[in-house]
Every structure is written in C-alpha cells, then in structure tokens.
Amino acid sequence: MKLDNIYKEEKKSAFAKLSEIIFTMASRPSGLIGLSILVFHIILAFVSPYIAPHDFKAIDPTLMLQAPSAEYWFGTDDLGRDVFTRTILGGRTALTITFFGSLIALLWGGLLGIFCGLVGGKIDDVVMRIVDAFLSIPWILAMLLIVSLLGTSTEVLIPALGFFYGKGIVRVARAATHDVIAKDFIVSARARGHSNFSIIWNEIIPNVRDAILVEGAMRWSWMLLGFSSLSFLGFGVSPPTPDWGLMISNARGLMSFAYWAVIAPIVGLSSLIIGINLTADAFAKALGIDRSTKAPV
Amino acid sequence: MADIIQKVKNLSIGFRSKKGEEILILKNISTNIKKGETVGIVGESGSGKSTLALAMMGYVKHGLYTVGGECQFNSSNLLKLKGKDLEKIRGRKIAMIPQNAGQALTPNLKIGYQIDEALQLHSDLDEIQREKKISELLNKVRLPSPETIALRYPHELSGGQQQRVAVAMALAGTPDLLLLDEPTTGLDVTTQAHVLELLNFIAKDTGTSMVYVSHDLGAIAQVSDRIIVMYSGEIVLEGPSRDILKRPIHPYTHGLLKSIPKLSLAGLPESMPGSQPQPGIIQRGCSFFDRCSFSDENCKNNSPHLEFLKDLNTSVRCFNYEKLFKEGQVNQTVNKIKNKSQDKEILNLSEVSISYAKQKLLDHIFNRISDDNPTVKDININIKKGETIALVGESGSGKSTILKSIAGLLRTKDGLIRFDENRNLSSDLKERDPNDLRVIQLIFQNPDESLNPNHTVEEIIAQPLKLYFGLKGEELKKNIIDLLQKVRLGEFYTSRYPRQLSGGEKQRVAVARAFAAKPDIILCDEVTSALDVSVQAAVLNLLQQLKEDFGTTYIFVSHDLAVVRAISDRVAVLYQGRLCEVGPSNDVYKFPSHPYTEVLLGAVLEPDPDIKPKLVAEDIVEERPPEKGCSFQGRCSRIVGDICKKEIPPWQLTDSGNAIRCHIPIKELQKEQF
C-alpha cells in the first residue's frame, strides 16, 4: 500500500533522496549485509597500500609456500610473497577498471536503448539487429582478440569491457522506455513540439533511470567476474601487480598442498561479487522495482 | 428474518500505514441483503464500495485486514471461513461478475470450455447434462447461436459479448447472490444499456439477489431496488431506489444529483466543491463537512450517526437532513452557456481521411498511403473561433483519431487541415513551425498518464512556458502561479508531485499546462471520463470559464452525450469514421435525427428511475466500416433498401440548420421518430 505517503511529501534535494534510499536499503538484513561488504571492499581498496604489512612484490625463495602464521597471516605463495598483502591489494585494479567500465556501459547502453525506444521504426530495427548480432559473439573470444591486438592497458580494458557489457543494457533501457513511451505525457510533449533530446532528458530519463541504474549495478558484478576471468587467463592485469584472478590462476596447481594461496583471493572475489549483488537487489527494492513481489489481487 | 441472505454487521476494514497507524477503509458498515432484491452500492473511487462488495464474498484484499465485524451468509461469518468451506460458498452460493470481462476470461481457452469448468466446480451435473446446460446458459444471456459461441475464444467476442459470457459463468453455479463490480463501466453506451436490461431480466427470471457496485448513478438507477450511498468508507444514505434518486435527504447525494449533466437540460450544472478526503484524514466531525452547503458548527465537531427513519424506510447519516427533506425534489439549475462564436473560421477540415493500414514497400518509396477503405473518411468540418464543437461516437468511431491528426500526431491520408482561414497545417508534426504547434494544445482523458510522475507541478507547467516564450526565473514563477490561480489551485501546489493530487486537481494542472501556451484551439479528449462524478461538473465549469476569459475554441471528444449536451455549441456525430450528423447542439438532441444519433440518445442512462433507455438497435460491434454505402447500414433499424448498401447517403438539411446524412427524407424521419 502506497497510500500513506501520498499526503505529506515535499520536494527533496538529491542528497536527501539518496540518503533515504540508502537508509531503506540498510533496513533489510540482505541489504545491510550487501552494503557493508561493498563499503568494506571500497574502503579497503583506498587504504590497502598504507596498511599492507609486506611488500607485495618481494620474492624470497626461502619463504616459499609457508602455511599461515603470525608473521604471514594467509601464508606465502610459490615465490615466497605474502598472500595477505597481495589479497588486500588484489581487488584495487579490478574494482577501478570494472567501475569505470560499468559507467561506460551504462551510459552508452542506456542512451542508445532510450533513443531506440523513442524513435522506433526502421532505425530501431537496424540498431537492435546489430546489438543482437554482437550478443551472439562469445564476449570472451572478442575480448581476447581486442586484448591481443591492442594490449592489456587500462585504456584498452575499460572501453572494451564497457562496450561488451553495455549491449545487454541497451535491451533493458529500450524495454523500460517502451513502458513510458505510450503514456500521454510523452504524446503531450511531442505535440507541443519538444525536440527528441528534450523529451529524452526531461520526460524519459527520470522515468527509466531507476531501472537502468539497477541493471548497471548488476552488470558491475558480472563485469567483475568477467575481468577476473581475463586475468585468470593471463589477459588482464600483468604480473607482478597483485590481482585475484591472476593469484587464483597461479596458485591453482598447488591447491592440494597449499590451499591458502588460492582460498584467500577466492574469498576476496566472491565476497565482493555477493556484496554488489545484494546491494543491487536492495537498491531495486528500495526504488520499488522489485520483480519478485506478489501479483496484486 | 428468514428472507435476509447476507447480513453485514459492524464491518470495519483497514490497513496499517508506514507509521503504524490504523487507517480505516470501511467504517462500521451494517446492512442486509434480502432475497431477490437488487442493491446498488454507489460511491466515488476510494469510497470503499468495492472493498465492501469483496468482503461480501469473504475476500479482503492483500494489505488490508478486518478490524472488526462480520459478513454473515447462511449463519456463517465469511470473513472467518477458510479453504474448503469458503470454496463451497464462492461460485456456488455467491458469484462475482468482474468489471473487465475481457481480462477475467482466460485468453487461450474456448468459451464453452471455460463455462464447463465453472459447471464442473459448482454443480454435480454429468458431461451430457453440462453440455446442455452450457447452451442453456448462453441462451439465457442472449448470445446469438450458443453452439458457435461456445467454440470461440474470448478475443473473438466483443466487449458486450464477453460481459455476457461472464454473466453466464457466474450463473453456472446457480448462486443465491450475485456481486457485480462496475460490470458495464468499460462498455459503449449502447452495449451498456443492453447489458443492464439483461441483468434486470436475470434478476426477475432467477430471483437471484444482486449487489451492483458502480460509480454511475445512471446505471444504478436502472437496476436497483435499494441504493446504498457510500462516502469516505461510510454509508451515508440507504433506502428505496426511487426515494433516493427523487428526494435524496443527504447533502452528498443531493449535490451529486444536482451536478450530473442531464440530456433534458442544456447548460452546465452546478458543481460540488472539493473532493473526497483521503482515508485517515478526517479525525473529527462529519466526513462531508467541508463540501457541504448545509453544515454548521455541530457537523465540524461531531460525527453524525446513521439514523433510521421509519416512515421513509431510509437510513441517513446527517444532522440536518430535515432541511433537505423540506426542500423535496432535486431542482437542478444549469448555467446556460451562450454561443459566443464569431463568424471567423479558425479551423477547417476538408475531405480528411486517415488510414491505419500498414504501408507496403511501394507506398513507402512513393511516400503515400494507399487504402480504399480508410478508418476515417470524408470529414468536412469548419470550426468557428470561440465555439465548442463536440465529436461524439462510440469507441471505434474515429473521434480520437481525428483529434490526433489535428494535433499533428497522426498523418492524414488525404484532405486538408486549414488553420485561421489561410494557413495549411501539415499533419506531420515535424513540418509544422513552432507557432502552429503552440496554437493547438491537447488535454487528455487520464491525468495520471498525461502528467510526468517524476515532475513537480511547477516543472509540468513550466514546460510550455519555457518552450514557447523562453521565460526564466522570477517571470516564469510568476506565470506559473498565475496559471495555477486561474485553474483555482493555490500557490503551494507548485512543489507537489502528481501522485499527491486528487484526480480533479491533476486534471486542473493538465488544463493549466494547456492554457500556458496561450493556444487558440484546445483539443479535449474525454477530459472528464476518468474523473469522479462530483468532480466532473467542476472541471466542466472551469473549462467553460476559461473559454469565456480567453476566447479559446474547444474541440471536445466524448462518448457521454449528457456531458456533451452541457458544454458544447455544436455537435458532430460519428460512426465508423464517417460523419452522420452535424449541427447546433440543441438541434442534434431534438428529433429528427440520424438513426445512429437516435440509438445513442436512446441508450443514455439517466439517474432517474422513470427514464428507461430505449433500445433501438442491436449491440453488434462492427470491426471495420462497410466498403460501400451508408456507414451505419449494419445496425440501422430504419434501413430502406438496397440504396443504403450501395450509395453513400446525401447530406440533408433540417429546418434548424442541422445536417443529417441519410437516405430517408427528413420529413419521414420526423414522422417516424415522433
């Protein structure tokens, strides 16, 4: 029932709206857990260079594959490097690259989707078939091709990931636009003679923003997994920079007797992904676009 | 008493707000439904009428809960029953007919199968008996050739036929009580009259008790023996149908009857101020206090009880009902509107046709539309500056289509739209210059959809001001407040969102937005049909006032002939996208008429038990206009022969300047219709 907030509600500032949304998210256990994990990871990414107990690239053959101890909390890897240090540093690159990658995906996917939804007709048909064609290419093959042609620098990875993860957003944004496009306020704006740009900016975006943001948040966690897979395959971050995907790849052969070297990055990666997923879910619920609610009646 | 079949006792239903307060939707309702009687429950949206009807079959909507009281049926409280016990009653003893039968029927199952399902559940007949019963039921609801109907899918039936199937399904369990929730609201005027007549017949034939829930006093008047008027979750008036409609002794009902436009009266009825309060707002006093013209200090502080008046057999919730009792019958006064149109022509449609046909590749290349039988054809209307012209017809008559083309939202196939005697308007928005766009503005049917839910009232009204006049800052703000005052809304509305406004307030904002552009022509698409009855008259009065102040021309589209009668100077009647009759509204409402106008006028439901609808034609729905001849040939009861099927009828002028398109000479029409 939405009845009770009908009467008293004033126009709120963006900040007030945001804090209300975050408060609503945190009022659910799953939202609170998700948010705490996500915030923990973000803070860790900022402070880890200052709190890391050891040098992440210091190789010491005498310390190879040590079990966890008071000195090396998570043990050491096959080159004698401290796993704890590398684990807390290992999320930084992934987080940064995928965050900006998601922003790019959100931007181009969202705008293209809204545009297609608005203009419809032939342009929409052609663009959507191109998007479909791209969707049918396995992304990892395409990524490998791009990376091997252009290298693994951040300037290549961010736009490439942004491009491949934006395709799905095009569809979501287009569908959300179709929901509002038939409403009379759009017809009214058209009849007044507003430009397409003005209709998109003033009439459509405020109504589809929520759906696209939630989709973007989900994409972020998928992209994180995708990026770690690239690293795992050796096409993401180059050694000796610590990265979870890379660490898992290096340590997986020694798993039977040095499980600590692989468990730590796995926990790091999966907790971050779970955190983002839970947050995105809670975000959707707080905005009122929950797909799992009961049918009315 | 033995003949009471349902007893509602002190029923309260409510919900809990986010802050944990208990807010009541129904407040202490008590009433009895007797065997064989039809009770009409009437009220505006949010008055709790549907909640009451659902409670009568033991159902409380998700989010609501029973606060107290009971619904007794066969000496068991329905609201306490669970599972199997409830199943035995629902469908078998109490059946429900929903508002939208099209949505209530399963789209991929045949009609016969769906009725069979209901029979299997609610009767003990075997297969052969059931088959017989199906055609019996379909016959009873007067569907043509039951055997073929049973083999059809719901989408192959018209709205009226679907509603009949819903009635047949409800009757499958031979219920003692039939609940009808706005069963005719989505239907066309002529179909509505037919369905009501059917319901009357069934009530008499089967002796089933009916509870008829509706916002439409006209429909209620036709079917019910007793009327319950609800307001803000309370029963405010209950009594015999005739007394309530003729001599209502509650101010709300009194005002309501005064504010409904009638066919017999040309002009705008008085409007009732304000709107129904939201649940939980009224803490003290009578809930109708601030809208009542009979109220005093006592009403402000104390809430009246429902008082039973033995000699009138009526219950009323009002301290001052005696004043109204003395007043007697409702004297409806109307403000006659004067036709202030000038001779100057402002808009001219000549030979306009519009097609929805899919374009073929060749047509795309040559940028043309080829369709021999377009949806709208041969529309010739000239509209004078300052007049209100109404386009009238049932759904599918092309009235909204024409409006869209005038607004430039839909391309015409042929014909010219000329503005201000010399400017040709393209029917494509992109080819019109900004000033041509400014002079024509639209107001839509449903203000929920026409206002962006994420914009404040200020942002909504600012849009045309910014776009056409480039206003900014203080000046913009001043203009917005000015416009809000013109539509009788206060300055404090600027920061509100549409969801915080009532239906009438939303429509006022939409009106303000249209007037912000300082237009010459405003296209009104069913502007009052989504509004509550008590608010409708206020919006009509506002539109009329603004028109007089600004000299605007209105093109008014509506299916409601009484509303059209109230506001328009001239009326154009459309059937299947072809004009049937055009003339001054006084003359269109008088005979002689085009046979279709006659059907429409006959089907209008008035809130008066003495005026019964006249059912002249069959309620068939035609999907597309006939290829040749008169557009109305399929349903006309006055068809004169082959000529109607072959030749397009000529325009004939009556003495008063009314143009009728019919093969029958005016003189004969006049003889037959009088």
Side-chain angles (χ1 to χ4, degrees):
Chain A
M1 297 297 292
K2 274 188 181 164
L3 275 171
D4 50 330
N5 54 20
I6 290 172
Y7 321 132
K8 310 141 198 157
E9 192 183 350
E10 288 299 313
K11 191 173 165 66
K12 286 179 193 130
S13 67
F15 179 74
K17 270 187 200 158
L18 189 70
S19 54
E20 191 189 299
I21 288 171
I22 291 178
F23 183 78
T24 323
M25 284 163 72
S27 65
R28 253 179 261 264
S30 65
L32 188 63
I33 294 170
L35 264 178
S36 340
I37 297 177
L38 182 60
V39 169
F40 170 75
H41 271 287
I42 291 172
I43 292 173
L44 192 66
F46 276 107
V47 302
S48 53
Y50 309 105
I51 59 164
H54 295 272
D55 182 4
F56 69 86
K57 55 182 187 294
I59 300 172
D60 188 348
T62 59
L63 292 172
M64 263 165 57
L65 298 174
Q66 299 248 332
S69 62
E71 175 67 23
Y72 300 104
W73 292 355
F74 290 175
T76 58
D77 66 3
D78 56 341
L79 297 174
R81 296 174 295 193
D82 177 29
V83 175
F84 178 70
T85 305
R86 291 179 66 80
T87 303
I88 62 172
L89 287 168
R92 300 184 77 210
T93 330
L95 257 176
T96 330
I97 287 183
T98 53
F99 179 75
F100 288 107
S102 314
L103 273 189
I104 290 179
L106 210 60
L107 217 61
W108 86 264
L111 287 179
L112 185 66
I114 291 172
F115 178 75
C116 284
L118 176 68
V119 296
K122 268 175 258 165
I123 299 175
D124 178 42
D125 271 350
V126 172
V127 173
M128 287 319 288
R129 291 304 79 75
I130 295 175
V131 169
D132 284 350
F134 270 109
L135 277 171
S136 65
I137 303 173
W139 72 272
I140 200 141
L141 280 183
M143 276 304 291
L144 292 185
L145 187 71
I146 291 174
V147 167
S148 42
L149 284 177
L150 302 172
T152 60
S153 65
T154 319
E155 298 86 62
V156 174
L157 282 173
I158 291 180
L161 282 168
F163 174 74
F164 281 104
Y165 280 85
K167 288 176 305 187
I169 298 183
V170 177
R171 294 200 146 267
V172 175
R174 181 170 166 271
T177 308
H178 276 183
D179 281 347
V180 291
I181 203 80
K183 296 262 169 85
D184 286 339
F185 61 85
I186 307 268
V187 181
S188 164
R190 266 193 185 155
R192 277 199 302 271
H194 284 284
S195 62
N196 271 351
F197 174 78
S198 154
I199 293 179
I200 290 179
W201 186 252
N202 289 319
E203 310 287 344
I204 300 180
I205 287 189
N207 287 296
V208 300
R209 187 187 48 209
D210 294 353
I212 296 178
L213 278 180
V214 169
E215 184 64 22
M218 298 303 266
R219 297 274 153 185
W220 186 15
S221 75
W222 295 354
M223 196 187 279
L224 204 70
L225 199 60
F227 176 75
S228 299
S229 312
L230 278 182
S231 294
F232 182 86
L233 295 172
F235 291 92
V237 179
S238 16
T241 316
D243 178 83
W244 294 328
L246 203 59
M247 288 164 74
I248 296 169
S249 160
N250 280 342
R252 74 182 200 282
L254 317 164
M255 208 155 37
S256 51
F257 53 93
Y259 56 87
W260 54 86
V262 73
I263 280 189
I266 285 177
V267 170
L269 180 60
S270 35
S271 68
L272 179 55
I273 289 173
I274 290 171
I276 294 177
N277 270 334
L278 288 177
T279 311
D281 264 351
F283 185 51
K285 280 192 180 123
L287 291 172
I289 32 178
D290 184 8
R291 276 157 248 162
S292 66
T293 42
K294 246 171 100 176
V297 167
Chain B
M1 279 196 285
D3 60 346
I4 289 175
I5 67 166
Q6 176 138 33
K7 197 171 193 166
V8 180
K9 225 160 87 188
N10 302 333
L11 179 68
S12 296
I13 289 180
F15 66 92
R16 222 165 257 295
S17 74
K18 266 187 191 163
K19 295 196 189 88
E21 296 161 87
E22 189 172 85
I23 291 172
L24 294 182
I25 300 278
L26 288 182
K27 299 170 198 160
N28 209 4
I29 302 278
S30 298
T31 187
N32 297 322
I33 310 292
K34 293 193 196 97
K35 211 172 163 56
E37 81 172 338
T38 303
V39 178
I41 302 181
V42 68
E44 295 175 51
S45 50
S47 61
K49 56 188 193 306
S50 292
T51 310
L52 175 59
L54 287 172
M56 284 183 180
M57 61 189 297
Y59 182 78
V60 178
K61 266 189 202 161
H62 183 71
L64 302 178
Y65 59 90
T66 315
V67 178
E70 48 188 45
C71 283
Q72 263 187 23
F73 183 81
N74 283 349
S75 68
S76 50
N77 181 5
L78 290 179
L79 295 167
K80 289 266 161 63
L81 287 185
K82 290 227 165 62
K84 285 264 181 259
D85 295 327
L86 208 50
E87 267 173 42
K88 270 185 209 152
I89 291 176
R90 284 188 189 160
R92 276 189 185 217
K93 302 278 182 204
I94 306 179
M96 172 128 195
I97 295 174
Q99 172 170 357
N100 192 337
Q103 282 176 17
L105 296 170
T106 315
N108 58 352
L109 295 179
K110 288 177 183 156
I111 298 296
Y113 184 84
Q114 298 194 42
I115 299 178
D116 193 41
E117 251 183 357
L119 282 172
Q120 279 180 34
L121 260 174
H122 303 309
S123 70
D124 312 312
L125 305 173
D126 64 31
E127 212 179 316
I128 299 156
Q129 283 171 313
R130 284 207 308 269
E131 206 163 299
K132 243 176 88 188
K133 183 87 182 169
I134 291 171
S135 51
E136 205 180 295
L137 282 169
L138 289 172
N139 245 327
K140 189 172 240 167
V141 295
R142 300 200 205 131
L143 279 165
S145 54
E147 288 74 22
T148 53
I149 290 270
L151 295 175
R152 292 210 206 154
Y153 290 98
H155 70 265
E156 294 175 298
L157 306 181
S158 69
Q161 287 173 325
Q162 287 172 346
Q163 201 64 51
R164 279 159 201 262
V165 171
V167 176
M169 277 174 80
L171 291 176
T174 51
D176 299 328
L177 178 63
L178 209 52
L179 301 173
L180 304 111
D181 192 0
E182 304 259 12
T184 61
T185 304
L187 303 175
D188 273 325
V189 236
T190 49
T191 317
Q192 186 178 352
H194 278 274
V195 171
L196 286 177
E197 198 255 339
L198 171 74
L199 291 175
N200 265 334
F201 165 76
I202 283 171
K204 281 208 191 77
D205 190 52
T206 58
T208 312
S209 307
M210 289 193 192
V211 173
Y212 190 101
V213 178
S214 180
H215 70 284
D216 184 356
L217 270 170
I220 293 261
Q222 303 309 322
V223 290
S224 35
D225 306 316
R226 204 152 57 85
I227 293 181
I228 296 174
V229 183
M230 306 229 0
Y231 187 79
S232 200
E234 291 171 324
I235 293 179
V236 290
L237 187 62
E238 177 178 359
S241 165
R242 175 168 291 271
D243 293 348
I244 286 196
L245 294 167
K246 290 280 187 192
R247 299 186 67 162
I249 52 170
H250 190 277
Y252 171 63
T253 321
H254 189 90
L256 208 55
L257 283 165
K258 266 188 154 177
S259 63
I260 298 175
K262 309 251 163 54
L263 270 190
S264 50
L265 283 170
L268 285 166
E270 275 174 55
S271 60
M272 214 195 280
S275 58
Q276 183 176 243
Q278 298 277 9
I281 287 273
I282 301 283
Q283 302 291 347
R284 205 161 69 131
C286 174
S287 52
F288 190 60
F289 169 73
D290 52 346
R291 303 177 72 186
C292 184
S293 46
F294 296 87
S295 58
D296 50 33
E297 266 312 291
N298 189 20
C299 308
K300 191 177 177 182
N301 300 320
N302 302 309
S303 4
H305 294 289
L306 197 62
E307 196 178 328
F308 183 70
L309 312 171
K310 210 167 178 191
D311 44 336
L312 287 175
N313 196 18
T314 300
S315 304
V316 61
R317 191 187 291 275
C318 182
F319 292 120
N320 304 321
Y321 67 85
E322 273 161 3
K323 282 189 208 163
L324 269 170
F325 185 67
K326 276 179 205 139
E327 203 165 293
Q329 294 216 351
V330 180
N331 284 321
Q332 194 173 22
T333 49
V334 292
N335 303 319
K336 282 254 157 79
I337 56 163
K338 284 182 209 111
N339 189 346
K340 286 196 180 147
S341 61
Q342 303 160 8
D343 281 339
K344 197 174 165 232
E345 180 186 286
I346 192 148
L347 192 76
N348 182 308
L349 307 184
S350 65
E351 301 292 326
V352 171
S353 22
I354 306 160
S355 169
Y356 281 111
K358 214 176 166 193
Q359 280 170 283
K360 296 190 187 85
L361 185 64
L362 262 181
D363 301 330
H364 266 304
I365 294 166
F366 293 110
N367 197 20
R368 62 172 189 201
I369 303 168
S370 60
D371 183 4
D372 296 333
N373 195 19
T375 317
V376 171
K377 197 177 168 187
D378 291 342
I379 302 295
N380 291 298
I381 307 176
N382 62 68
I383 295 158
K384 301 215 172 70
K385 196 170 166 49
E387 79 172 338
T388 302
I389 182 162
L391 305 180
V392 178
E394 292 171 289
S395 54
S397 62
K399 49 194 195 309
S400 295
T401 306
I402 295 173
L403 220 55
K404 275 190 196 147
S405 279
I406 298 174
L409 293 164
L410 193 65
R411 265 185 68 192
T412 53
K413 177 177 169 286
D414 294 308
L416 283 179
I417 302 174
R418 210 165 56 230
F419 174 73
D420 216 5
E421 293 180 341
N422 52 21
R423 281 188 70 85
N424 276 340
L425 291 183
S426 159
S427 60
D428 192 346
L429 269 180
K430 288 174 199 125
E431 291 165 21
R432 291 191 184 181
D433 70 40
N435 196 49
D436 289 343
L437 292 168
R438 180 186 65 79
V439 293
I440 300 178
Q441 292 291 316
L442 269 159
I443 305 174
F444 294 87
Q445 170 174 11
N446 191 344
D448 286 328
E449 289 214 345
S450 69
L451 305 179
N452 191 333
N454 281 301
H455 286 177
T456 58
V457 168
E458 181 173 356
E459 286 162 339
I460 288 166
I461 302 177
Q463 279 184 335
L465 292 171
K466 282 192 206 155
L467 179 72
Y468 297 126
F469 308 112
L471 296 184
K472 275 193 207 98
E474 280 300 305
E475 212 187 340
L476 180 66
K477 184 102 189 171
K478 203 179 132 272
N479 269 284
I480 291 169
I481 292 168
D482 214 38
L483 280 160
L484 278 175
Q485 276 160 357
K486 289 221 171 78
V487 297
R488 322 248 149 73
L489 293 175
E491 195 182 328
F492 55 94
Y493 279 92
T494 46
S495 62
R496 298 210 181 169
Y497 287 96
R499 61 174 174 277
Q500 297 165 265
L501 308 177
S502 71
E505 288 170 337
K506 273 183 247 178
Q507 198 61 299
R508 280 163 197 270
V509 173
V511 171
R513 177 175 65 182
F515 273 94
K518 302 203 172 73
D520 292 310
I521 302 173
I522 292 189
L523 312 174
C524 305
D525 191 357
E526 301 265 13
V527 285
T528 57
S529 54
L531 301 178
D532 276 321
V533 199
S534 74
V535 180
Q536 175 175 299
V539 170
L540 288 176
N541 274 307
L542 174 72
L543 283 172
Q544 183 60 29
Q545 185 61 47
L546 289 169
K547 181 190 144 175
E548 279 164 21
D549 293 352
F550 292 96
T552 323
T553 308
Y554 287 145
I555 304 181
F556 203 92
V557 158
S558 180
H559 68 280
D560 188 332
L561 286 148
V563 167
V564 164
R565 171 81 162 147
I567 196 161
S568 60
D569 303 318
R570 222 146 53 93
V571 178
V573 182
L574 285 152
Y575 185 75
Q576 293 283 354
R578 276 83 172 140
L579 282 171
C580 297
E581 183 168 355
V582 184
S585 85
N586 276 333
D587 298 307
V588 170
Y589 284 81
K590 264 187 235 145
F591 293 126
S593 305
H594 186 278
Y596 179 57
T597 319
E598 189 188 352
V599 171
L600 282 181
L601 287 173
V604 172
L605 303 170
E606 301 232 47
D608 187 334
D610 294 331
I611 304 177
K612 294 275 172 214
K614 292 187 260 319
L615 305 174
V616 190
E618 288 297 309
D619 62 329
I620 318 162
V621 170
E622 293 175 285
E623 301 234 317
R624 51 186 9 260
E627 302 262 339
K628 274 196 287 189
C630 173
S631 61
F632 191 53
Q633 52 174 287
R635 289 172 64 188
C636 188
S637 58
R638 302 193 183 281
I639 218 156
V640 282
D642 251 6
I643 190 167
C644 294
K645 298 212 165 108
K646 288 200 179 121
E647 278 175 46
I648 293 173
W651 282 107
Q652 305 183 65
L653 275 179
T654 65
D655 304 337
S656 46
N658 193 8
I660 295 175
R661 203 179 204 182
C662 187
H663 284 299
I664 308 170
I666 298 275
K667 291 250 163 59
E668 269 176 54
L669 265 180
Q670 192 152 18
K671 242 186 268 165
E672 282 177 46
Q673 287 169 339
F674 267 101

